[in-house]
Amino acid sequence: MPEPGKKPGEGKPKGWGARSNQGPLYPPPGPAVSAFSKKPRSVEVAAGSPAVFEVETERVGVKVRWQRGGSDIGASSKYGLATEGTRHTLTVREVGPADQGSYAVIAGSSKVKFDLKVTEAEKAEPVLAPAPAPAPAEATGTPGETLAPAAELGESAPSPEGSSSAARNGPTPGAPDDPIGLFVMRPQDGEVTVGGSITFSARVAGASLLKPPVVKWFKGKWVDLSSKVGQHLQLHDSYDRASKVYLFELHITDAQPAFTGGYRCEVSTKDKFDCSNFNLTVHEAVGTGDVDLLSSFRRTSLAGGGRRISDSHEDAGILDFSSLLKKRDSFRPPRDSKLEAPAEEDVWEILRQAPPSEYERIAFQYGVTDLRGMLKRLKGMRRDEKKSTAFQKKLEPAYQVSKGHKIRLTVELADPDAEVKWLKNGQEIQMSGSKYIFESIGAKRTLTISQCSLADDAAYQCVVGGEKCSTELFVKEPPVLITRPLEDQLVMVGQRVEFECEVSEEGAQVKWLKDGVELTREETFKYRFKKDGRRHRLIINEATLEDTGHYALRTSGGQALAELIVQEKKLEVYQSIADLTVGAKDQAVFKCEVSDENVRGVWLKNGKELVPDSRIKVSHIGRVHKLTIDDVTPADEADYSFVPEGFACNLSAKLHFMEVKIDFVPRQEPPKIHLDCPGRIPDTIVVVAGNKLRLDVPISGDPAPTVIWQKAITQGNKSPARPAPDAPEDAGDSDEWVFDKKLLCETEGRVRVETTKDRSIFTVEGAEKEDEGVYTVTVKNPVGEDRVNLTVKVIDVPDAPAAPKVSNVGEDSCTVQWEPPAYDGGQPVLGYILERKKKKSYRWMRLNFDLIQELSHEARRMIEGVVYEMRVYAVNAIGMSRPSPASQPFMPIGPPSEPTHLAVEDVSDTTVSLKWRPPERVGAGGLDGYSVEYCPEGGSEWVAALRGLTEHTSILVKALPTGARLLFRVRAHNMAGPGAPVTTTEPVTVQEILQRPRLQLPRHLRQTIQKKVREPVNLLIPFQGKPRPQVTWTKEGQPLAGEEVSVRNSPTDTILFIRAARRAHSGTYQVTVRIENMEDKATLVLQVVDKPSPPQDLRVTEAWGLNVALEWKPPQDDGNTELWGYTVQKADKKTMEWFTVLEHYRRTHCVVPELIIGNGYYFRVFSQNMVGSSDTAATTKEPVFIPRPGITYEPPNYKALDFSEAPSFTQPLVNRSVIAGYTTMLCCAVRGSPKPKISWFKNGLDLGQDARFRMFSKQGVLTLEIRKPCPFDGGIYVCRATNLQGEAQCECRLEVRASRRLGGHNDMASSSAVPQ
């Protein structure tokens, strides 16, 4: 039923559509219930204080696991675990900054996450984590809580590949010992991510066992995993002589979702049996956007409302089996072509064609877990396969179409003129526009659906008269792809952060994650999610330092990743305000430049806020703050400060008012320049490039002098970047020469001169580098002249440095080097600023806030496998230069981690066999191979064990010195170089280890081995032992002779091979493996069987009416096996065509009835055993004629005859060999007159009073029924017949064999002893 307020068909999943307007095929299970009645809550505690988290479970005895960062937490000095009834407690002692992070608690299939935040000691106190009130049923399918997604499962596994172990090294602490079971440690439930590995272990006590136990692993009810051993499944066993414990392991690699289910481990000995059940859960991997057709049949937990939440927030709908009808290409990640599996087969077709006995095997092979529902669907489909009178060709069971495409549904009718109706979910489809197109061509009727959408995902029917055919249409939505990725961002604390990403489809469901954990709408509304068509935004209103990390947007078709770096607020001053000296009526300008253009500030005069007016103006343009004072007066002389808002800094400068003193002089005064310069050598005037330069020179003279401004034209070199601001300057090293002087006389323009009676003003608007130099001011009048040289220096930001060079590229870091700029702007370079960006991005992200003093920097926090570019800025006291050209693109790639599970597999006098597993982290650089080295104990020089690299995870190191103690280490290599090595924990002594010889006789060889004549015999027997054992074969105690029997031995097994078996090869064979004075033996019984010889002495004993009685003797040779019976045939003398009369007939006499009067007949008999019928038959020599009756009837003269006869057995008892547990019968035939009395005996005991035996007698056929015999019912059975004429008896031997399923051996007692 659709949800309230929704129309049918709304809220359907993307990808595979579910039915709309129609009930589900099978009712979905109800919402899953949480295992917790009280959940933990995130807390904030002070450093050094304990943090306590409590949970309560629904019932007592639930196993609870605590995790941090995906790894299990055990009891230790740091963590305390306590359980009291349904209450479970986790205590984190002496909390520190390292303990801050995400924690989780798991019970059953429920998982709840909570956070621990650590503050300074004075800000918080110890807090007991409160738990919220019991919440409604927890959504067990949500990625955030229960049934963690593959990303979390991958973290919880010991390796990033998803490898895990479901068994511990010992029994669970506190678990009660099993006093009667065989297990020391039972296999435990396990979880693994798709593609990962997992090992289940079972330990069996062997102290009281004479022989090794037999262990079998099963999946489901009966699927024996020993037949599935291969690439994905291995079985291992070992024996610890010290503890006398057998270890049996089930190792699953490259786990697939089809492996999910229940498993069983059975262990049996001669007189004991035990089994243990465990479960395996395989979680889907996150981020691949895989679309697996078989997922429709896998049970998953349901969230509230019966909706299942998939990895892409898509409702997977009800169980839908028709998704298996049309297979498509696998969406798995690309794999090596050598390892790529063959294309999937159509499971539906396989089930339809298979017999019912094969259903469970097929379900296990193809991962179909809901077999019962699929068989119901199959049964309904088979009912539809009845012969149709209205349709020549029906609709397919199901169709699949991609969203936006069109689909054609076609049927062929038996009557071309019949009317057709098309129904969708039971409603007739009406022609409307171009959506539905109905076509009729002859007997074909076609429905075309254009521009298919999820609303078209439904059940369709074609109705002709009273008959209809049905199909289902599945609309597959293409995966949502990312068209514009996320950009890295660097912000300050408190700033607003907005991540924006664009996907391929509007309204698509996406997930936002931070460091692999899904973000949700919290009560604080810290994160806000916005959708605008295809654009998705994540907004963080006020960023904090905790928000630093990697953010990802995940869709069904991939994910986009970006990094957010949050820095503390720090204001940099690119240009501070400087002291000014101005004259009356002049303009004073204080200017400063800071790093943040959004920072506001306050101007102070002598510590008091300055209020702007018509003469005093305050401006803020970008990063530049200006204070302008027009018409300066003596009252303006003061200390001025600029204070940025929100920052503890203060920029100060002093305004000096210059008073011009004019002394009274008589007329005809020579000209004079009045500058406040001691020694008449003015200081260098420094001006920032782009600012206004104003040189105000007071003059006097009578008459008024003429003022001439000149600039010296110089030539020299740009000064390179200086390393420090206080570096000494050597005037003697100046690189400039004066060539000429340029007269400056323009009164308008950028460079202009204005002269009045008492002063001359030289102005340069927007100072440039070319304006730097020595300016000469000359005043002349008739009385004399005066001259002053003014040095002007223009300072600017440095030139852009050259493109940086990147070296030492690692997993997430690199070293960036650059050269100083060619020109430092006239000021020493204070430092450098480094930026980086992804190659396909346009956003540059700053890497440092403090200036870098060196010419190199190690950049970190990069994502492996992503291409980056670098650029650098130079900064001096004036500001920041233009950016350098971008560096060459580079990709951070790190070497792989060390290989895991390095172990010594075998040791001989000169060789050592090593094996290991691939490293947990391979990285984007892949894996090129492994290098193996060894070193003597105590030495430091490592010797390569092989040239180059090996791609295998095992190696045999040869040519080693005998008796040496060596250490071995293995490294993984990729394009980034070798990774860390893994070294053997203990030195390995190169010396053969003595191991007792042991034969591992397969189960099928423990019974009598039957082979037909001319069949090959190939008996393979594995064995163990070191050094290599000596193998000896004998037959009946004698060595093997003849060329027909050959023996082939290898280091691990021996083979007895006979190319063509003969009867003479039958017998008892014994194989012996010997090492010095230790040996092990095994006995095999070989029985070579052949066809029997024909019966003997076939004769006709009597012929009457239409019947003929035949009798014969058993064959001389039974073919070395039990006879199965005889075949009796007859042939008419005229045609000589043979017809079978009796088949599998076990007696040696019979009656052939229904013969034709007047014909002559020949008879023949074949003997038959398990190999077949005898090549020839026993045949009657003369034909038997069936006479015609006479016309006259002459009554016969009967003599008084005495029919008394002593008992005699016409068919004696036959020795039998039966299987225990199956009711059997012993039969014989007796004749005698009067009717004899019958008695049955077993080993001399009368069976008449035993209720387990039933005796029947019918027309001379005597039967003894033994109900469900056991091995103790074997023995000598005697049937005795007695009457007045005498008595007779016959006997047979009954052998009762133990059933194979009981695990019995061939040497078990099969019959009771016969008394002498």
Side-chain angles (χ1 to χ4, degrees), residues 938-952:
S940 59
E941 183 178 355
W942 291 90
V943 180
L946 73 163
R947 294 182 180 179
L949 304 178
T950 177
E951 296 180 356
H952 304 287

Side-chain angles (χ1 to χ4, degrees), residues 149-290:
E152 295 174 6
L153 294 172
E155 293 172 3
S156 66
S159 71
E161 297 176 3
S163 300
S164 65
S165 178
R168 300 172 179 81
N169 292 331
T172 304
D177 295 334
D178 190 353
I180 60 175
L182 294 172
F183 287 104
V184 175
M185 185 191 73
R186 299 175 180 270
Q188 305 294 323
D189 294 346
E191 297 180 357
V192 69
T193 310
V194 170
S197 301
I198 188 169
T199 301
F200 295 97
S201 299
R203 296 180 183 269
V204 178
S208 61
L209 302 180
L210 299 178
K211 293 184 178 181
V214 178
V215 172
K216 290 186 178 181
W217 300 85
F218 296 90
K219 183 178 189 299
K221 296 180 180 178
W222 58 271
V223 179
D224 191 348
L225 296 183
S226 62
S227 62
K228 306 295 181 182
V229 173
Q231 178 183 0
H232 300 286
L233 187 145
Q234 294 88 35
L235 301 178
H236 304 286
D237 61 271
S238 60
Y239 178 66
D240 187 356
R241 296 184 179 275
S243 60
K244 296 184 178 180
V245 172
Y246 291 92
L247 173 62
F248 299 91
E249 292 182 332
L250 167 64
H251 185 63
I252 299 175
T253 58
D254 191 14
Q256 301 299 321
F259 297 171
T260 298
Y263 290 76
R264 185 173 78 257
C265 178
E266 293 185 356
V267 57
S268 60
T269 62
K270 185 175 181 179
D271 54 354
K272 287 187 179 181
F273 175 82
D274 199 359
C275 70
S276 176
N277 297 322
F278 57 95
N279 296 317
L280 170 62
T281 303
V282 182
H283 298 280
E284 295 285 352
V286 174
T288 59
D290 294 347

Side-chain angles (χ1 to χ4, degrees), residues 91 107 280 326 341 381 431 516 734 747 788 820 853 899 909 988 1018 1031 1118 1222:
T91 303
L280 170 62
K326 299 293 182 181
M381 292 301 302
M431 183 177 297
S734 176
T747 57
V788 173
Q853 304 293 334
D909 289 340
V988 180
N1018 192 349
V1031 183
D1118 59 1
Y1222 292 88

Side-chain angles (χ1 to χ4, degrees), residues 72-83:
D72 287 348
I73 295 176
S76 63
S77 60
K78 184 66 177 178
Y79 300 101
L81 305 179
T83 300

